[in-house]
Amino acid sequence: MVLAPLPIVLNRVFNVSELNARIRDRLATDLRLSDLCARGELSNVVNHRSGHRYFTLKDSDSQISCVLFKNHGRRLDFELENGQNVLIFGDVSFYHIKGRVQIVVRAIQKDLGLGARHQEFEALKRKLGEEGLFDEARKRPLPLYPGRIGVVTSPNGAALRDVLKVLGSYPAKILLSPAQVQGESSPESIVLALTLLRGKADVAIVCRGGGSVEDLWPFNSEIVARAISRLDCPVISAVGHETDVTIADFVADVRAPTPSAAAEIVKPDVSGLKEDLKATERRMERSLAVILERRKNRLARLKSGVSYKAISRRLEEMHRHLDVLSERLFQSEAERIELMATRLDVAAGKLDELSPLATLTRGYAIAIDTSDNKLIRSVLDVSLEEEIDVLLTDGHLRCSVIDKNQQKRF
Amino acid sequence: MNEGEQGTEVQSLESSLKELEDIVLALEDGDLSLEESLKVFERGIYLVRRCNSLLEGAEQKIEVLTGDRPE
């Protein structure tokens, strides 16, 4: 068998020791590879009887050998077990005897499931995201001038102090709904505090100050996320520092980098508002001036319309109207008089018929005593020689009583 | 139960501002009678004063909600 010819550029041929020494030197001078922290899962844990511990640190794709020497392992307060998530602190070194890269671990601690928690975080984020809880369309607009500001936070925390300081004298009622913002029962406490604000606030701030990832963890819980999405007013989240992002931030209508910032967002610009009020006052005054001006112009227009000609024409019209009216009145008066005359005639005729004088035309006569103008009804009413008047239809006769006879003639 | 009472004063900042807006629009519209205009204007000035005094004289009011479970 013929070997392929070696490359020609062999101006230096390493022996293995020299090569490994070079690799070691190279690694040792890279500052990024010392005093480093790494996170991963333990496997191949070997507790050597020498007191040194050997293990592999891995994640889903890669692995690296580690050694915890006896002197550093003495302070270890837990037993290393395969599958544990840990944080290690140490330096990358090159074990030249075996040509192996490894981490010389100087400290190790349980990762308290942070790796798992990170996955949990991502899973929940994905789940709620798919449900649409983070949708822009769900984000509610903040009220311009909130009258009731809910604050869900620890009553003793710096976050509350910051919020109150920023809100200052803005005229709103601040509803503090106290919550435990870290620890085991914190999520339930936050949920309760949020629920208490139902129907009472125009806007709510959910906040806490900075802390470790652990401290902020309650704000990554599903029940808190759902309570925020269910609250009947817009919610501003402000958890930890600017760089901390929690599930609560995704669900909230607005995410503020810090509690102070949240308060700034909620609080209207008071001096701007005062400016607006001033402007409003001016606008109203201007409008009123315009209205008055318009009335004045209208009045002027009306006045110019009242000319002498217009008045005399109007007077003429009125005169004509008066004429018509009086004519009608006159006419109706004449008719009335005529009517009355007719009625009078009729009445007079009737009266005539009934009059005793009418009997005279039929040949009767009426005798009247001239001394007292009384009707003479009996022969006894007169004495001999007395003068009486006898009324006939066409005049009267002055007579003297010549004789009285009590016997009836007919 | 006295939810209606809560923040009546501060609520009126928001509602006062809203009413003010309406008043300005009505005045600018110019459809009101002179008498109404004057009345509305007077009301507007009152609201401006009221809002200003709200903004100036306010002290921080904090109410702590108790942890009793609602209903």
Side-chain angles (χ1 to χ4, degrees):
Chain A
M1 208 155 96
V2 181
L3 288 171
L6 291 167
I8 304 161
V9 281
L10 300 177
N11 50 9
R12 175 79 163 93
V13 176
F14 288 107
N15 62 35
V16 175
S17 299
E18 282 169 341
L19 178 61
N20 283 5
R22 179 156 187 162
I23 295 173
R24 184 188 59 198
D25 288 350
R26 196 60 193 261
L27 291 179
T29 53
D30 188 339
L31 291 176
R32 287 169 298 182
L33 294 178
S34 43
D35 291 335
L36 61 85
C37 269
R39 159 182 291 152
E41 189 186 313
L42 293 179
S43 67
N44 302 325
V45 174
V46 176
N47 291 303
H48 201 266
R49 56 174 192 282
S50 63
H52 306 322
R53 294 179 173 89
Y54 302 92
F55 53 88
T56 301
L57 191 67
K58 65 170 193 179
D59 62 19
S60 52
D61 300 319
S62 307
Q63 60 180 50
I64 189 166
S65 300
C66 300
V67 57
L68 177 66
F69 291 120
K70 188 177 166 183
N71 57 333
H72 288 124
R74 225 177 272 137
R75 281 168 294 166
L76 202 62
D77 56 357
F78 64 100
E79 283 306 312
L80 301 185
E81 283 168 29
N82 290 329
Q84 248 169 5
N85 286 298
V86 292
L87 277 171
I88 58 154
F89 178 71
D91 314 291
V92 171
S93 80
F94 186 68
Y95 187 37
H96 67 280
I97 296 167
K98 294 211 168 175
R100 205 163 68 192
V101 176
Q102 63 179 10
I103 300 174
V104 176
V105 177
R106 283 186 272 146
I108 182 167
Q109 67 176 55
K110 283 188 191 172
D111 196 357
L112 297 173
L114 257 194
R117 282 211 158 166
H118 186 69
Q119 282 172 14
E120 187 188 309
F121 176 93
E122 290 299 332
L124 181 59
K125 189 176 148 194
R126 205 175 315 119
K127 177 180 162 190
L128 297 181
E130 278 164 10
E131 276 184 37
L133 248 59
F134 308 154
D135 287 358
E136 272 313 304
R138 274 186 58 94
K139 308 284 183 204
R140 295 164 284 196
L142 301 180
L144 278 178
Y145 312 106
R148 306 166 301 168
I149 301 171
V151 182
V152 172
T153 192
S154 158
N156 312 311
L160 178 62
R161 272 205 314 278
D162 290 349
V163 167
L164 294 182
K165 199 171 133 201
V166 171
L167 289 181
S169 64
Y170 171 67
K173 178 172 267 184
I174 295 162
L175 300 159
L176 172 62
S177 198
Q180 199 187 316
V181 292
Q182 68 188 64
E184 194 87 343
S185 53
S186 167
E188 284 77 12
S189 171
I190 296 169
V191 169
L192 173 58
L194 282 166
T195 315
L196 282 173
L197 284 179
R198 186 172 294 274
K200 294 196 173 113
D202 301 323
V203 63
I205 298 174
V206 181
C207 63
R208 65 150 289 151
S212 70
V213 177
E214 281 296 297
D215 290 340
L216 308 186
W217 202 256
F219 293 89
N220 288 321
S221 71
E222 183 169 353
I223 55 170
V224 168
R226 294 203 183 278
I228 288 175
S229 76
R230 272 198 310 267
L231 193 58
D232 56 359
C233 69
V235 177
I236 300 176
S237 70
V239 180
H241 296 302
E242 184 148 16
T243 49
D244 299 314
V245 178
T246 61
I247 296 282
D249 291 328
F250 292 114
V251 190
D253 298 279
V254 174
R255 181 211 175 223
T258 61
S260 299
E264 293 284 1
I265 291 170
V266 158
K267 179 189 171 183
D269 170 12
V270 170
S271 61
L273 192 54
K274 283 186 188 165
E275 284 299 312
D276 286 354
L277 283 171
K278 240 179 257 163
T280 301
E281 197 170 345
R282 279 196 299 272
R283 255 172 88 184
M284 287 195 304
E285 280 164 359
R286 231 172 10 244
S287 298
L288 190 70
V290 167
I291 288 171
L292 289 175
E293 189 65 25
R294 216 179 293 153
R295 303 291 147 144
K296 235 162 73 184
N297 290 343
R298 198 169 140 206
L299 188 62
R301 241 186 355 261
L302 286 174
K303 228 157 89 181
S304 72
V306 186
S307 64
Y308 170 75
K309 221 166 122 188
I311 287 180
S312 61
R313 195 170 53 236
R314 181 93 184 103
L315 269 177
E316 222 170 88
E317 253 168 46
M318 282 161 72
H319 266 305
R320 255 200 318 275
H321 191 56
L322 186 62
D323 282 350
V324 171
L325 282 178
S326 62
E327 202 174 306
R328 268 168 56 188
L329 184 69
F330 202 69
Q331 209 169 6
S332 65
E333 192 65 6
E335 279 166 9
R336 210 163 65 90
I337 288 169
E338 203 175 313
L339 187 68
M340 275 163 57
T342 314
R343 278 172 60 198
L344 183 62
D345 273 357
V346 172
K350 277 196 181 142
L351 193 63
D352 247 10
E353 277 169 30
L354 294 172
S355 164
L357 298 177
T359 54
L360 298 183
T361 59
R362 300 208 299 270
Y364 294 94
I366 296 167
I368 290 171
D369 188 340
T370 49
S371 60
D372 54 6
N373 272 337
K374 278 185 176 166
L375 284 180
I376 301 164
R377 295 170 189 276
S378 155
V379 289
L380 300 178
D381 286 350
V382 292
S383 34
L384 286 176
E385 303 297 327
E386 191 178 340
E387 276 190 10
I388 59 169
D389 254 353
V390 177
L391 304 189
L392 298 171
T393 185
D394 55 349
H396 61 102
L397 305 168
R398 173 65 56 95
C399 307
S400 178
V401 180
I402 311 168
D403 186 25
K404 291 195 333 179
N405 193 336
Q406 265 189 290
Q407 274 172 350
K408 286 185 179 165
R409 190 166 164 187
F410 303 105
Chain B
M1 287 304 104
N2 55 350
E3 271 173 29
E5 266 173 52
Q6 282 183 2
T8 43
E9 190 183 321
V10 280
Q11 222 171 13
S12 71
L13 174 62
E14 167 112 56
S15 61
S16 299
L17 289 168
K18 224 171 257 161
E19 193 183 341
L20 254 180
E21 272 165 33
D22 291 344
I23 283 175
V24 171
L25 289 181
L27 279 175
E28 286 178 343
D29 238 18
D31 281 345
L32 299 176
S33 72
L34 187 60
E35 203 180 356
E36 279 169 329
S37 297
L38 287 168
K39 222 160 78 185
V40 162
F41 175 77
E42 202 178 343
R43 171 82 182 150
I45 294 297
Y46 164 79
L47 286 172
V48 168
R49 301 234 166 96
R50 172 165 176 70
C51 289
N52 269 325
S53 74
L54 270 176
L55 288 173
E56 269 152 29
E59 280 176 19
Q60 205 162 56
K61 285 186 213 76
I62 304 174
E63 184 185 320
V64 179
L65 302 178
T66 57
D68 298 335
R69 286 191 180 272
E71 84 253 2

